[in-house]
Structures are given as C-alpha cells and as structure tokens.
Amino acid sequence: MNFIKHLISLFKELFQFAVKNKTWWIVPLVVVFLGIGLLIVVGETSAPFIYTLF
C-alpha cells in the first residue's frame, strides 16, 4: 500500500513539473514507458504472449 502512495505521489510530482516548466512532451513519454513496462511484466508471466507482439 505504501508503494502505491509513493507511485501516485511520483506521478503527481511529474505532472506538476510538466505544467510548471511547460514540458508537455514528458507526459506521453512516461505513458509509453509505462506501457512497455506493463508488457514486460505481462510477458514474464506468459511467455507465448510476448512472441505475438513481435
């Protein structure tokens, strides 16, 4: 539970940074990295799934 609070805090801080410095390109970059990370986690649990992506 503590991990989730810290993760939410991290995303909130990243969004505030993007708003303050007007670096909106960071937001889609983080979303893409999270998607890739999610695919890696899902791919570890079931090996055949990752082969259908490539």
Side-chain angles (χ1 to χ4, degrees):
M1 188 68 177
N2 226 0
F3 175 74
I4 294 173
K5 287 181 183 178
H6 289 295
L7 193 61
I8 291 171
S9 172
L10 177 70
F11 288 132
K12 190 184 307 183
E13 188 175 336
L14 180 71
F15 184 73
Q16 289 172 350
F17 173 79
V19 169
K20 181 180 177 183
N21 294 318
K22 294 183 168 89
T23 52
W24 293 106
W25 56 269
I26 286 179
V27 176
L29 185 68
V30 169
V31 169
V32 168
F33 283 151
L34 286 174
I36 290 172
L38 182 66
L39 282 175
I40 290 172
V41 168
V42 170
E44 286 180 358
T45 58
S46 62
F49 174 71
I50 198 74
Y51 295 122
T52 60
L53 294 176
F54 300 107

